[in-house]
Amino acid sequence: MRTINPWINFNGNAEEAFAFYKSVFGGEFTKIIRFKDLASAEFQVPEKEVDKIMYIALPIGQHNVLIANDVPEFMGGVNESENRSKILVSAESREEADKVFSGLSAGGEVEGDIGDTPWGTYAGMFRDKYGIEWIVEFDPSL
């Protein structure tokens, strides 16, 4: 397994929060994807959400990455009193991703089946039987 990193959900202020985190931790963002970057005929994005963050990553130290996204309105708001973060498992292969996804999601609720993503990774997300939210991803470019 490559790494396990925290993934935080925001209600439209991920970019602001990450600018703050960057001012504290230093470093540079390795990737910023906005919802408009993924817009297509199959994935239509409302105008008011095109500039929201789909994915932002800030490396912290040599092996850790803090990741976040804005939750689109159609998915409902994030309640700060509830779980608003996910644990991201970065697998070393598709096979490892499938094994981890299958094992951890057993008895839980799959929110996004594991498969190829529009941004070039192989990923899926779920809430395990204990209510913890996970994303399992394999990025062949790493």
Side-chain angles (χ1 to χ4, degrees), residues 57-123:
L58 178 64
I60 300 174
Q62 290 184 334
H63 305 289
N64 302 298
V65 181
L66 185 60
I67 303 162
N69 66 279
D70 289 316
V71 176
E73 286 183 19
F74 75 86
M75 294 181 75
V78 175
N79 183 334
E80 283 79 5
S81 300
E82 296 176 1
N83 184 2
R84 65 180 285 165
S85 59
K86 296 183 184 313
I87 299 171
L88 172 66
V89 177
S90 296
E92 293 184 24
S93 66
R94 288 169 90 85
E95 295 77 19
E96 183 182 44
D98 285 334
K99 180 181 176 185
V100 171
F101 185 91
S102 175
L104 288 175
S105 66
E109 180 182 338
V110 173
E111 298 171 342
D113 290 322
I114 194 158
D116 293 319
T117 67
W119 51 92
T121 66
Y122 180 73

Side-chain angles (χ1 to χ4, degrees), residues 9-15 35 51-54 68-72:
N9 295 312
F10 289 91
N11 286 320
N13 61 340
E15 190 167 16
F35 280 99
D51 287 321
K52 288 185 178 178
I53 300 293
M54 166 55 192
N69 66 279
D70 289 316
V71 176

